[in-house]
């Protein structure tokens, strides 16, 4: 009976008008749907550095009016502890176009409730009047000097999901210890404050401000500092197709192209307007490649376009594809586009600096530890600094802010999951500015009769080939995930990691869950560690690197592999790269180290463990 009782207690915490429109939980109680009740009420969502992300619906483990109010109450209390001037500075709140008819939840509704909570405590709430891309929130925090920002979005997650993402006063996503402090404050403020539900009164408050028009104008003005070839853009005849994949990106990418004097991209009409049902795609994630981009390819073929841009639903990521001479479409990986945009950022910076070579010592580029090290190779030759951070833009954004405060120049940062920070005005990934800058890159290369694929090959020719193969396994069982990683930590006895993989010797191991790093004199990892997530990296004698980690927002075990070769030492890879210019088969001819089969064989001993039999499900459901 406990799930039903828990549900009734949860009902009593809500308002009568809200309970009347949410019938899901009542139906579950009447039907005795114990399993469903346990999923909804069994455990409260945990607030972490990524904020919250879960399905919309009833219960403490779901995104709904009550859990949004509780979260914002805790966040507000924590802000009150941290900022004496909170009531002078305020908080910005943005939202995407997600909506869940069955539960009555929507991003706009959740954002309005968050504003009501803040206003009830006398805190100015800069609530956007319409949906915006996620990068507009960190931009607003920095531009207006606010204490914090909230973005209600689930990015590219399935349609039933929503999320609550938090930015600190520095314009970057929160990192420890703020996550723990906010989580504790939420637990201490679960009882809804009377005014927290009152969105009508909040909507009339002088503390409620709409920053939409000013921020849209200022953002477009800001990104123009990265437009270096306006005359080329004006004359360019390059045709580009853009899709927002039923998200918010269309209006903003069109405006960004206009700000750069680029030819407007052709919009995929079926996916142009926000639609929370995402009717034309199975998953609204352009990182999935061709399956999401089929409509874009069809439009490009009709219009004679050779390049396709795609944003995810909250427009903080960018995918790019290019038509090859064979007629096939090549979808660039996040690492490949990172190589192109990183190279382009440095070329534009050099052009701007002229003969002032000394300042290159103050230039930095960043990438997450699971992303390609191509920026490191470029930096070694060109003289700028490269740093890697933990996975996620929360780490890159905060590190970028530290460097900027020291007077350094942060040109570019990226993660392999098609996330790019091309401007320090937004200390997070930004698919809108990245689209405009990539559009200028395409236009410039066209004046040289060079394609993106050809330029990528030129980058690898000059700085060394970096071949990557990344993918994931689906796994919903946390016990299986834990057993998998513990098996790797105790491979041939207690506290012993694998020493080889399919004949390739492992020369170093770094475990950022336990803090172990065999490459360090004291065997302690330099990068921050976290026991709440799994992440192990293996370095091989042949120059390869393989990392396995869990996702913080999805039920995935992700793996990342890269094989690097120094300039002039890449003959055994040349054939593969040359072939990739005309097809999307860059990884089909690389060494066995990069093969999916090798990774499965590497993990095969897990199948022999009787307690890990469910790992077979992971293999059969994995994407590769």
């Amino acid at each position: 009976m406990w799930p039903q009782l828990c549900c009734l207690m949860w009902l009593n915490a809500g308002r009568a008008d809200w309970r009347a429109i949410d019938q899901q939980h009542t139906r579950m109680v009447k039907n005795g749907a114990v399993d469903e009740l346990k999923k909804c009420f069994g455990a409260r969502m945990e607030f972490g550095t990524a904020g919250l992300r879960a399905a919309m619906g009833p219960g403490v483990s779901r995104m709904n009016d009550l859990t949004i109010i509780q979260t914002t109450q805790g966040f507000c209390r924590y802000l009150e502890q941290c900022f004496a001037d909170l009531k002078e500075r305020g908080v910005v709140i943005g939202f995407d176009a997600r909506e869940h008819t069955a539960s009555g939840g929507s991003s706009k509704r959740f954002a309005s409730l968050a504003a009501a909570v803040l206003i009830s405590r006398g805190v100015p709430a800069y609530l956007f009047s319409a949906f915006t891309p996620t990068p507009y929130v960190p931009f607003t925090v920095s531009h207006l000097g606010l204490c914090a920002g909230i973005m209600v979005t689930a990015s590219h997650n399935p349609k039933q999901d929503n999320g609550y993402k938090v930015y600190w006063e520095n314009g970057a996503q929160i990192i420890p210890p703020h996550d723990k402090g906010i989580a504790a404050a939420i637990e201490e403020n679960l009882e809804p404050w009377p005014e927290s539900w009152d969105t009508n009164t909040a909507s009339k408050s002088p503390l409620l401000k709409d920053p939409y028009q000013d921020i849209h104008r200022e953002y477009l003005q800001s990104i123009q500092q990265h437009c270096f070839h306006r005359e080329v853009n004006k004359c360019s005849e390059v045709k580009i197709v853009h899709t927002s994949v039923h998200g918010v990106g269309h209006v903003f990418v069109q405006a960004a192209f206009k700000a750069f004097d680029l030819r407007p991209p052709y919009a995929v009409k079926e996916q142009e307007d926000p639609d929370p049902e995402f009717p034309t795609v199975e998953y609204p994630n352009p990182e999935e490649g061709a399956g999401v981009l089929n409509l874009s390819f069809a439009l490009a073929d009709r219009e004679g376009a050779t390049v396709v841009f795609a944003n995810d639903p909250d427009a903080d990521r960018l995918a790019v594809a290019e038509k090859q001479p064979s007629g096939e479409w090549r979808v660039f990986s996040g690492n490949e586009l990172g190589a192109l945009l990183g190279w382009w950022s440095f070329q534009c910076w050099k052009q701007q600096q002229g003969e002032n070579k000394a300042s290159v010592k103050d230039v930095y580029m960043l990438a997450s530890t699971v992303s390609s090290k191509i920026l490191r190779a470029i930096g070694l030759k060109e003289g700028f600094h490269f740093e890697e951070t933990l996975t996620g833009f929360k780490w890159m954004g905060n590190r970028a802010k530290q460097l900027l405060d020291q007077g350094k120049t942060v040109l570019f940062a990226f993660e392999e999951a098609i996330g790019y920070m091309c401007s320090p005005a937004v200390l997070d990934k930004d698919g809108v500015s990245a689209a405009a800058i990539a559009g200028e890159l395409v236009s410039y290369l066209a004046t040289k009769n060079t394609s993106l694929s050809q330029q990528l090959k030129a980058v690898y020719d000059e700085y060394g080939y970096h071949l990557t193969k990344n993918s994931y396994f689906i796994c919903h069982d946390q016990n299986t995930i834990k057993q998998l990683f513990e098996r790797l930590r105790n491979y041939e006895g207690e506290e012993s990691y694998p020493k080889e993989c399919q004949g390739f010797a492992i020369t170093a191991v770094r475990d950022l869950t336990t803090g172990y790093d065999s490459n360090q004199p004291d065997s302690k990892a330099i990068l921050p560690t976290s026991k709440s997530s799994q992440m192990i990296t293996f370095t091989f004698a042949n120059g390869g690197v393989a990392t396995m980690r869990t996702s913080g927002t999805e039920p995935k075990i992700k793996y990342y592999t890269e094989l690097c070769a120094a300039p002039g030492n890449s003959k055994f890879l040349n054939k593969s790269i040359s072939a990739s210019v005309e097809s999307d088969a860059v990884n089909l001819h690389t060494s066995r180290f990069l093969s999916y089969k090798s990774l499965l064989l590497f993990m095969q001993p897990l199948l022999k463990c009787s307690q890990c039999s469910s790992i077979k499900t992971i293999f059969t459901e994995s994407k590769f």
Side-chain angles (χ1 to χ4, degrees), residues 448-462:
K448 310 295 182 182
N449 294 317
T450 301
S451 67
L452 288 170
S453 298
Q454 290 168 336
Q455 183 56 52
L456 179 62
K457 181 179 182 300
V459 170
Y460 287 149
D461 283 339
E462 183 170 0

Side-chain angles (χ1 to χ4, degrees), residues 174-199:
I174 60 167
I175 56 174
H178 295 310
D179 57 330
K180 300 297 183 185
I182 296 168
I186 292 170
E187 291 294 331
E188 294 167 2
N189 291 274
L190 295 179
E191 181 68 27
W193 305 333
E195 302 87 353
S196 294
W197 296 97
D198 197 350
T199 56

Side-chain angles (χ1 to χ4, degrees), residues 117-152:
V117 171
L118 293 167
I119 288 170
S120 75
R121 296 292 298 173
V123 178
Y126 292 79
L127 175 64
F128 283 99
S129 57
F131 55 75
T132 58
T134 289
Y136 271 41
V137 170
F139 177 81
T140 305
V141 172
S142 298
H143 189 71
L144 298 182
L146 306 183
C147 291
I150 298 168
M151 181 66 192
V152 182

